[in-house]
Amino acid sequence: MEAQCQHRVAFDCTPQPTACFPDWMAGLPDALPLSCLSVPGTHDSLSLFGGRRLRCQSWELEAQLAAGIRFLDVRCKLVRGELQVYHLCTFQRASLRGVLRRTLRFLHAHPSEAVLMRIKEELPIFSRPGFAAQLRRCLLEEGQGHVWCQEEVPTLGQVRGKIVVLEALAQEVLGIPYEQLSISDAWNVLSLERKWARAQRHLERVASGDTTTMHLTFCSGNGVFTCPEEVARFVNPRCYQHLQHRRGQPVCWGVVIMDFPGAGLIQLIVESNSLHASGHITASPSNLPTTPQHYHGREDRYHIPTAPPQQRGQVPHPHSTAAAERTGTTSPQHRRGREDRYHIPTAPPRQRGQVPHPHSTAAAERTG
């Protein structure tokens, strides 16, 4: 019976979540870097179609955000000049423009929150030449001045009410460089036990590691002899048990990325941030696991950037030129000025393929 209960709170493939954490970042201090947060996320966040082999989530985007999800994994293809959301070759009935609008609508209603969004080109044998340009255009036109497109990891105060872009483009700088983060993404699953062992090792490394580096642990996977739902049914309860074991301790789990997450698993990740909270982080549903005690004494370990927030990402809301740019009436010089206001850099592109950040484990984890 206990195992069945753990399974229910860790795994959920129903259409509506029982978790409800729409404002869980509200009690956290502005000076807290995002790399010091425990963040629940979803893998292939818009993958609701394609059958058992491809379906990774059962909740619509708005339901995920209301449940407390703050990392979105968005895979796009350039189709007839627009970025459409795909999982492998299956269209997910959404566009990147729509995803940005829906996410910003949520953030407008919940301005204390910030959403990390990994934007990836899906299945490129060779990257489409127009992908980066179209991504830049989408961020300019749909971002409404509420998109963080700089390379450094911001503090929470710098990005409340904003989307924080993570990207791995070859020649552009449109967000935090994904390949320089600490990542465990053993997505090709041949053994469920080995999949969980890898994720568990990375979670432990994150818990005892450098909080100036952003860590991402993918608990999701797929394979020839399995599917995303089967992997989630196996891994999610074990992840729940692992986090439950450390409940009440001062620990940062980084970004924990899941398929079909359950309410209890989301709650454990969210509540591990209560060390930093000025107020309690509580769940609305009464049937969720008990709220852990609040703990203290780790703030001095965090690296807090000293630059004032307004110098590193605070941007005015651009009402004055939006309509003119959509109709093409502004000059190129005017457009360049507006790009600066959106903080999409116009400096020469960095050289991708450099040696990753010294704390990065991405290469090792991807190759096993």
Side-chain angles (χ1 to χ4, degrees), residues 34-40 182 196 199-208 211 213-218 239-257 265-273 276 295 298 302:
L34 295 191
S35 57
C36 296
L37 291 177
S38 300
V39 178
S182 168
W196 165 238
Q200 184 180 28
R201 283 197 303 270
H202 195 258
L203 285 169
E204 281 306 300
R205 189 179 300 134
V206 174
S208 59
T211 52
T213 300
M214 188 174 287
H215 303 270
L216 282 67
T217 305
F218 282 82
C239 184
Y240 176 87
Q241 189 173 26
H242 182 75
L243 272 57
Q244 175 81 1
H245 181 69
R246 299 284 295 271
R247 195 174 195 176
Q249 299 178 23
V251 60
C252 171
W253 297 114
V255 185
V256 184
I257 303 162
L265 184 50
I266 293 173
Q267 182 174 0
L268 281 177
I269 298 167
V270 166
E271 288 185 347
S272 68
N273 295 294
H276 313 290
Y295 35 83
R298 200 177 174 206
Y302 296 116

Side-chain angles (χ1 to χ4, degrees), residues 29 44 62 75 86 91 132 148 194 236 268 279 320 331 342 345 368:
D44 246 311
E62 290 79 3
R75 318 288 182 96
Y86 274 77
F91 177 51
W148 178 271
R194 285 199 294 272
N236 288 11
L268 281 177
S320 58
S331 67
Y342 274 90

Side-chain angles (χ1 to χ4, degrees), residues 3 46 54 74 86 99 135 174 209 211 214 234 242 260 283 331 359 362:
L46 280 296
L54 294 180
V74 183
Y86 274 77
V99 171
L135 175 56
L174 296 178
T211 52
M214 188 174 287
F234 184 90
H242 182 75
F260 305 105
S331 67
H359 298 297

Side-chain angles (χ1 to χ4, degrees), residues 6-24:
Q6 280 190 8
H7 191 277
R8 285 197 299 271
V9 298
F11 172 88
D12 186 352
C13 62
T14 62
Q16 289 295 327
T18 57
C20 186
F21 294 94
D23 302 290
W24 67 262

